[in-house]
Amino acid sequence: MIFELLTQKYFIYFFLQVLLFLIIALPIGYLLIYNQLGLFSDSLSHSLIPGLAGASFLFGLESHTLFWGALAWGIFISLVFSSLSGLNNKTKDSLMITLSLFGVSLGLVMNQFLSLQIDFTHLLFGAPFLSTQNDMLSSLGLSIFLLFAILFFWKPLLLFTIDPLFSKLKYGSFKLSFIFTLITTLIIVSGFQVFGVLLTTGLMILPNIAFPFENKKLSTRFILIIIITITIALISFLLSYQINTTFSATFIALLSLITLAKLYHQLIYRKSQ
Amino acid sequence: MIEISDLEIKHSDIHLMKVENLIIKEKGLYLITGANGIGKTSFLRSLAEHINTCDKNKYSNKVSFMSAMAEYNNQIPLSGHDYLSLYIDKSQFEVIKKHSVLSALLIKKISHLSAGEFQSLTLAAQIYSNSKVLLLDEPFSHLSSHWIHIFISELIALAHSKLIIIVSHQSIDELSKASEVFEIIDKKLIKRENLK
């Protein structure tokens, strides 16, 4: 029975999408963590909600309108967030939280006021097993584009993380901040329909914290994390099927638990030193 | 020549000093000294912004700044070689490989380096970068006297082709003799020969 489940088309499409998403999301998630911007992707994803509501109001509640709405609003949000690059960390953090909360609440208000009937459960948890071959192809296209963008800008983005002042003088503060924010936004846009806001952010950040592999080369590290995360996704799938729960929520709960256990172990280890 | 006038130096919105009139040559070695907390680093940062924007054709993307060591994120698992390749061209590695100690650092992980080793790697990254202007904030911290001597010799030689401005609280005769020395006293930047 398990074999039958795992050989279903929807299951194979979904796991290919997880794989594609992890390949582009893990390196950027890694840089977000080292820039102490772990919650940044969360803020970005929440800020996209008014864009989705606007697109749905103007062009109807269709999968492709939501995508284009998120994309257009995402570019606008990237410009707004990049313009914060000159601010100090405290002000930047406060503004990001405010914009994130404003995004969620404005989206909800628009949804109710304009009777848009956007399903917020879908936005939060996605529809992982409703992926079609077309979804796969558009995901593949965007993922390949983002992969090239990440490879092309990898050195400047890494320098931005290691030595912000040097990179600011070499590449310009706004330019680099915008590229970083835009790539992060596009990754979220590429993932939110399938994985939902929670799983998109979760897949970018949690595996990087839970499985640090600090002594490995970055490329080896990402490959190992992908293998482990795919395994956890598989376990979560079987578990959610068994106990009849939403897959995304089960997956994120499991990943979060592993991450918490890792952080707790790290804390105990430091105290014993 | 780089002309600076009425450059206000601030740190977290606190006014530290104002540089009313200063002319810096395009090539040469300058040393800025002064007591702790007087505004040396803030001055260097403001100078970086000023030079980077004063003549965009000449200096844009050609100014490099070496921060005091605490500001670096060296926890990323990169080798010394990968770290240096973020700053310098491949051709420069041949020069670095001639220094046996620096060469040995290329294969080590930067997170495993001692403070002094990381400082030498960071300083090498600046020296061998293709920047026209090097602004170095406390570049000799954590370095042994042997390495300070090696790097100062490199910097003196480099000053014939680049502008190098060093902020340091350390008093190093070899460096002072080869540089134009300025000191920050009472919120003013004063040339050493004018100090009485």
Side-chain angles (χ1 to χ4, degrees), chain A residues 30 163 166 168 170 214-215, chain B residues 49 61 64 72 77 87 109:
Chain A
Y30 179 79
D163 190 351
F166 184 91
K168 183 179 159 186
K170 194 169 169 70
E214 275 157 3
N215 291 322
Chain B
E49 297 280 354
N61 307 330
S64 80
Y72 288 91
Y87 294 85
K109 288 223 160 61

Side-chain angles (χ1 to χ4, degrees), chain B residues 80-98:
Chain B
H81 184 281
D82 293 342
Y83 173 72
L84 276 186
S85 67
L86 297 174
Y87 294 85
I88 65 176
D89 297 332
K90 276 181 186 171
S91 56
Q92 294 293 339
F93 277 98
E94 294 309 316
V95 185
I96 287 179
K97 281 175 186 167
K98 285 179 190 160

Side-chain angles (χ1 to χ4, degrees), chain A residues 48 70-80 178 182 185-186:
Chain A
L48 291 180
L71 192 67
W73 190 252
I75 293 170
F76 169 70
I77 286 293
S78 300
L79 280 167
V80 173
F178 179 66
L182 186 64
T185 309
L186 291 180

Side-chain angles (χ1 to χ4, degrees), chain A residues 5-141:
Chain A
L5 263 177
L6 301 185
T7 49
Q8 294 291 323
K9 240 184 191 175
Y10 67 86
F11 181 82
I12 294 167
Y13 287 158
F14 170 68
F15 272 85
L16 281 173
Q17 287 204 313
V18 175
L19 181 68
L20 283 173
F21 186 75
L22 283 173
I23 290 170
I24 54 170
L26 284 177
I28 294 298
Y30 179 79
L31 295 181
L32 284 169
I33 291 168
Y34 274 94
N35 277 311
Q36 299 183 349
L37 288 169
L39 279 173
F40 180 59
S41 51
D42 203 39
S43 299
L44 274 175
S45 56
H46 288 161
S47 311
L48 291 180
I49 295 175
L52 299 172
S56 162
F57 175 65
L58 292 172
F59 307 107
L61 189 58
E62 298 285 336
S63 167
H64 65 275
T65 52
L66 288 181
F67 174 81
W68 291 110
L71 192 67
W73 190 252
I75 293 170
F76 169 70
I77 286 293
S78 300
L79 280 167
V80 173
F81 275 90
S82 309
S83 64
L84 307 179
S85 60
L87 299 172
N88 66 40
N89 284 348
K90 194 179 157 195
T91 317
K92 205 170 19 177
D93 198 41
S94 313
L95 261 168
M96 280 201 301
I97 291 170
T98 312
L99 285 173
S100 160
L101 292 172
F102 180 64
V104 179
S105 47
L106 180 67
L108 255 168
V109 169
M110 283 169 79
N111 193 35
Q112 288 171 342
F113 186 71
L114 303 170
S115 308
L116 298 173
Q117 295 176 320
I118 295 175
D119 179 5
F120 270 73
T121 313
H122 172 88
L123 275 185
L124 284 177
F125 298 109
F129 294 109
L130 296 181
S131 301
T132 60
Q133 205 166 0
N134 281 343
D135 293 335
M136 260 302 300
L137 286 173
S138 50
S139 249
L140 183 69

Side-chain angles (χ1 to χ4, degrees), chain A residues 30 34-35 155 158-159 161-166 168-172 213-218 221, chain B residues 45 48-49 52 61 63-65 67 71-73 75-78 83 85-87 109 112 126 130:
Chain A
Y30 179 79
Y34 274 94
N35 277 311
K155 268 192 179 181
L158 198 55
L159 196 59
T161 306
I162 290 176
D163 190 351
L165 194 52
F166 184 91
K168 183 179 159 186
L169 290 167
K170 194 169 169 70
Y171 300 105
F213 295 117
E214 275 157 3
N215 291 322
K216 302 277 181 213
K217 268 181 76 176
L218 281 179
R221 177 185 183 276
Chain B
R45 281 172 186 260
E49 297 280 354
N52 202 34
N61 307 330
V63 179
S64 80
F65 190 101
S67 303
E71 294 187 35
Y72 288 91
N73 186 344
Q75 293 309 305
I76 293 182
L78 292 178
Y83 173 72
S85 67
L86 297 174
Y87 294 85
K109 288 223 160 61
H112 294 174
Q126 305 289 328
N130 59 3

